[in-house]
Amino acid sequence: IVSDSLFSGENDITNDQSGPVAIEILTDAGINSVNLDYYPDEVSALQSKVEWDVQENVDLIIFIGGTGISPRDVTYEAILSKLSKELPGFGEEFRRRSIEQVQGRGILSRALCGTFSKSLVVSLPGSPNAVKLGLEIVLSFLGHAINLLRTS
C-alpha cells in the first residue's frame, strides 16, 4: 500500500486514516503480508515505487490518494503510464458505486486498476470510504486475477 498522506501538508502519520483502513480490510481478508509506505504524489517517485514492487514480485500494489483533479493529483498519470494492461471495468464500477454514495462528486474520481508485469496495480482516492469501496471491488476478483497473472 502506498499513500501520500504525509505529503499533503499534514506531515503526521497519525493523520493517515486510509492506510490503516486498507491494512485492516486486507488482513481481515486473509492477506498476510501487507506493507504501508508513504510517497509524495510525484510521478517519478510513484513510478519508481511501482517498478521496485514489481521487481520484488509483489502481487498487489495499491496506491491511495492523488486520483482527483487538483493540480497535485498525478497518481493516475504516473500509474497509467506503467500499466501493461488497464482494467477499465474497475474504474467504471468504482465510479458507478461512488455516485450512489456521493452523487455527482463520484464522477471526479480517477480510480484505476491494471497490470504491470505479474502484479495487479490499483489506485484509489484517499478517503477512507473510497478505500473501503475500492477494496471491496478488488477483493471480489483478486484471487482470480492473481491466479491469471501467475500462470502467464
Side-chain angles (χ1 to χ4, degrees), residues 1-8 36-42 44-50 52-53 63-64 72 75:
I1 303 169
V2 180
S3 174
D4 85 327
S5 67
L6 289 183
F7 301 92
S8 61
L36 176 59
D37 297 313
Y38 293 93
Y39 279 74
D41 203 358
E42 297 171 358
S44 61
L46 297 171
Q47 289 178 338
S48 294
K49 175 60 176 161
V50 75
W52 172 262
D53 284 351
F63 290 85
I64 299 173
R72 72 179 286 277
T75 303

Side-chain angles (χ1 to χ4, degrees), residues 2 16 23 26 32-33 35 38 44 48 58 66 83 87-89 97 104 117 119 136-137 140 150:
V2 180
D16 178 21
I23 290 172
L26 293 170
N32 299 324
S33 179
N35 196 30
Y38 293 93
S44 61
S48 294
V58 174
L83 296 181
L87 303 174
R97 292 194 198 178
S117 187
S119 297
E136 177 184 320
I137 297 167
S140 73
R150 286 181 182 165

Side-chain angles (χ1 to χ4, degrees), residues 53-108:
D53 284 351
V54 165
Q55 273 186 303
E56 296 295 309
N57 298 311
V58 174
D59 290 323
L60 175 62
I61 307 165
I62 301 168
F63 290 85
I64 299 173
T67 63
I69 61 170
S70 78
R72 72 179 286 277
D73 290 328
V74 297
T75 303
Y76 179 87
E77 289 79 10
I79 302 309
L80 181 63
S81 69
K82 288 305 209 180
L83 296 181
S84 310
K85 295 184 180 186
E86 183 182 0
L87 303 174
F90 171 80
E92 294 162 3
E93 179 65 3
F94 181 88
R95 282 181 285 282
R96 185 187 70 75
R97 292 194 198 178
S98 290
I99 290 168
E100 291 174 358
Q101 293 179 7
V102 296
Q103 288 75 42
R105 292 178 302 164
I107 204 72
L108 298 176

Side-chain angles (χ1 to χ4, degrees), residues 116-134:
F116 180 30
S117 187
K118 292 183 182 240
S119 297
L120 187 67
V121 183
V122 178
S123 181
L124 301 171
S127 78
N129 285 339
V131 169
K132 289 175 190 174
L133 173 60

